[in-house]
Amino acid sequence: MQLGRKTADRRVPVSGRAAAGLQKCRRVFVLFAFETQTLKNMSEHQSFQFGKSRFNQNTLFGRFRHFLDVIDPSTLFVTERRLQECVALLDRFKQGTLPPGVTDAQLWKAQKVKQAIIHPDTGEKILMPFRMSGYIPFGTPVVVGLLLPNQTLASTIFWQSLNQSHNACVNFCNRNASKPAPASRFVLGFLGAVTSAVSIAVGLNVLLQKANGFSPTTRLLVQRFIPFPAVASANICNVLLMRHSELSEGISVLDDQGDVVGTSRVAARHALLETALTRVVLPMPILLLPPLIMSMLEKLPLLQRQRGLVLPVHSLVCLAAFGLALPLAISLFPQMSQISVSRLEPEIAMATDDPMVTYNKGL
């Protein structure tokens, strides 16, 4: 007992200001955890609304929480039987023939599964690598390859081509499909996007090689940042080329009851502009943060001694950046966006009395 008191007396005393600061941090943390749990409980137990989100789509945080559900990788492991059960449950809800005992939480879960796998316009399953829930698992290896140092011309062409191939398929599979598009337009968009990305990346690499004023360290750092302007500009081309049929043919706009009012080219321009902006924001954290973080981590003694750990650490950093960037980027705009009828074609205004109509922006 005496020894215990001496040991306790040796502890470093905490000043009153530090103790107050620790207490304040503890209160903030507890309050944040309480509010987060409260929001989670509210979202899980609120009444189910078919076709609606559990979260407020008028706020960035609400859309962020919604898209965390959309990109949840666990939906990649849903079986065909489970998917059909979810679809059947939602159909019975619409028909008013739900069996007794079905909870709101079960209905929200069923809708989450259906929305993650089935396209809202075509009603068809989206292939696993091209779903939003598969974007991070299947896209992270490509991001790691894009950010590898000391890229050669061949490796630059390979990784940029692979990246834009994946992006083209994701854009096509998550487009607004209210109007059919021929396969030839998919091929044209794919070739245009890949060509633009590779051309920009190779051009930047050539300029870097001719810049003799950079030190080796600066050259390596700049080379790591080259993928961002290449990918950002190519992403814009990718969206426009993969979905340019929407600009010429228009997309369907819906009234408050969910009925099609007409087809609008103006709404299509808004949908493509919003999607293109998300594709510019998306690669910012993915391609800018990992080079900065890795430039600091590679100076650590552990990574200096164990060079074999650099690639696994690099992959984890890219995965974390991708996981943050994707929901933030696609949360900038709601998927089902609204636009004033007065801004659309006259025939749309004549077809409805609603002041606002809704269109599927696509992802």
Side-chain angles (χ1 to χ4, degrees):
M1 296 296 293
Q2 185 70 20
L3 179 60
R5 283 197 297 268
K6 287 183 179 180
T7 304
D9 291 340
R10 292 194 186 102
R11 291 180 299 180
V12 177
V14 180
S15 67
R17 181 177 298 178
L22 289 173
Q23 186 65 24
K24 184 177 180 180
C25 290
R26 189 179 296 111
R27 287 198 300 267
V28 170
F29 175 79
V30 171
L31 180 62
F32 175 78
F34 174 77
E35 290 180 349
T36 302
Q37 187 63 36
T38 301
L39 287 171
K40 181 179 179 182
N41 292 338
M42 289 174 60
S43 65
E44 288 179 349
H45 296 96
Q46 63 179 301
S47 298
F48 176 74
Q49 298 181 40
F50 181 81
K52 303 292 184 181
S53 174
R54 291 186 295 161
F55 310 99
N56 183 5
Q57 295 299 283
N58 294 322
T59 66
L60 179 63
F61 181 71
R63 293 193 296 270
F64 179 78
R65 289 288 291 113
H66 168 73
F67 284 116
L68 284 179
D69 274 353
V70 172
I71 69 170
D72 183 359
S74 66
T75 58
L76 296 173
F77 302 99
V78 172
T79 63
E80 180 65 26
R81 179 180 177 182
R82 171 61 178 155
L83 174 61
Q84 295 306 321
E85 289 174 353
C86 292
V87 173
L89 186 63
L90 294 173
D91 288 341
R92 296 190 68 174
F93 174 84
K94 288 193 295 182
Q95 298 164 2
T97 59
L98 275 179
V102 176
T103 64
D104 289 321
Q106 289 175 300
L107 290 168
W108 284 121
K109 178 65 176 177
Q111 182 162 271
K112 171 183 174 179
V113 169
K114 181 182 177 182
Q115 289 178 342
I117 299 175
I118 297 179
H119 194 285
D121 293 332
T122 65
E124 299 176 355
K125 287 178 62 176
I126 301 174
L127 293 176
M128 189 181 295
F130 311 135
R131 300 173 193 167
M132 277 298 164
S133 56
Y135 205 172
I136 294 175
F138 289 94
T140 299
V142 181
V143 172
V144 174
L146 283 170
L147 295 174
L148 290 174
N150 302 318
Q151 296 270 10
T152 64
L153 179 61
S155 65
T156 298
I157 293 175
F158 172 78
W159 289 114
Q160 290 288 352
S161 300
L162 192 60
N163 179 55
Q164 290 305 321
S165 299
H166 185 226
N167 287 345
C169 293
V170 170
N171 288 334
F172 183 79
C173 292
N174 293 278
R175 71 197 187 282
N176 181 304
S178 57
K179 298 292 181 182
S184 59
R185 290 184 176 175
F186 168 79
V187 175
L188 288 174
F190 171 80
L191 293 176
V194 173
T195 302
S196 63
V198 173
S199 300
I200 294 170
V202 171
L204 289 173
N205 271 317
V206 170
L207 289 176
L208 180 62
Q209 291 171 3
K210 293 183 177 180
N212 298 321
F214 290 140
S215 66
T217 304
T218 305
R219 183 186 296 273
L220 179 62
L221 188 61
V222 172
Q223 190 178 40
R224 283 182 167 181
F225 282 103
I226 278 178
F228 172 69
V231 170
S233 56
N235 283 352
I236 297 175
C237 296
N238 201 318
V239 170
L240 296 178
L241 291 171
M242 293 303 300
R243 297 176 55 179
H244 74 281
S245 61
E246 299 173 28
L247 293 174
S248 58
E249 299 178 8
I251 59 175
S252 298
V253 293
L254 315 174
D255 59 17
D256 286 341
Q257 305 302 318
D259 298 322
V260 177
V261 175
T263 301
S264 172
R265 294 185 180 88
V266 177
R269 287 200 299 269
H270 282 268
L272 262 67
L273 175 62
E274 291 170 352
T275 306
L277 288 175
T278 64
R279 293 303 191 270
V280 173
V281 174
L282 175 60
M284 285 183 182
I286 302 173
L287 300 179
L288 296 180
L289 287 180
L292 289 174
I293 295 173
M294 289 305 299
S295 64
M296 294 183 290
L297 292 180
E298 287 177 2
K299 297 177 183 178
L300 296 176
L302 176 62
L303 294 186
Q304 290 286 341
R305 294 193 306 268
Q306 303 289 335
R307 301 303 298 174
L309 293 176
V310 172
L311 184 58
V313 171
H314 189 189
S315 302
L316 290 175
V317 171
C318 291
L319 179 62
F322 207 161
L324 170 68
L326 182 59
L328 281 178
I330 58 179
S331 299
L332 294 177
F333 306 98
Q335 181 175 358
M336 301 303 295
S337 297
Q338 289 190 319
I339 188 171
S340 173
V341 171
S342 61
R343 302 174 62 184
L344 301 179
E345 294 85 347
E347 57 268 24
I348 301 293
M350 295 173 61
T352 181
D353 295 328
D354 294 341
M356 304 287 291
V357 290
T358 305
Y359 60 91
N360 176 17
K361 171 183 69 65
L363 293 175

